[in-house]
Amino acid sequence: LVWPAGETFNQQATEAVTHVVLTYSLRAGRYTSGICELAGVLLYGLSNDDIRKPSVDHEADTFWCLSQLLAEAQENLLGDDALAFQARRVHELHQAFDPPVAELLA
């Protein structure tokens, strides 16, 4: 993954995302397409912009945030309208709390 200003996920960050996704998939009993990207964005945000050194706490926080996000999304993913609403809502939250990430994802 490549982020603004040439920042990249190093081996430690990639392993943290892998741990989060594997743990979530094992607990959920299935893999959901796109959660690697979600986990990466969450880890980046929770690592206080220092993605080169994610801690075990950042990894755990990423897992729980991803789990809650997907639990809420699962309730609403009944159709395209619900998915579009969720995407707009996530974008609004990014704009409010982390404008650079919102701009990157736009």
Side-chain angles (χ1 to χ4, degrees):
L1 295 170
V2 178
W3 300 96
E7 292 184 57
T8 60
F9 266 37
N10 62 13
Q11 184 66 28
Q12 188 177 2
T14 302
E15 287 176 5
V17 169
T18 301
H19 295 159
V20 168
V21 171
L22 288 176
T23 303
Y24 175 81
S25 297
L26 287 171
R27 287 178 55 107
R30 62 177 163 59
Y31 171 77
T32 304
S33 180
I35 62 172
C36 288
E37 290 80 3
L38 285 173
V41 170
L42 289 170
L43 181 66
Y44 183 81
L46 293 169
S47 295
N48 301 320
D49 294 332
D50 190 5
I51 196 61
R52 295 173 302 246
K53 297 179 184 177
S55 71
V56 174
D57 290 335
H58 296 139
E59 189 176 318
D61 290 344
T62 299
F63 169 78
W64 291 113
C65 286
L66 179 69
S67 296
Q68 186 62 36
L69 178 68
L70 292 176
E72 291 177 14
Q74 185 176 12
E75 296 172 4
N76 297 316
L77 291 179
L78 302 175
D80 291 338
D81 292 337
L83 181 59
F85 173 78
Q86 288 294 327
R88 282 192 305 275
R89 182 68 180 133
V90 168
H91 183 68
E92 290 169 1
L93 291 171
H94 273 116
Q95 284 179 321
F97 295 104
D98 201 345
V101 171
E103 184 178 325
L104 174 69
L105 296 174

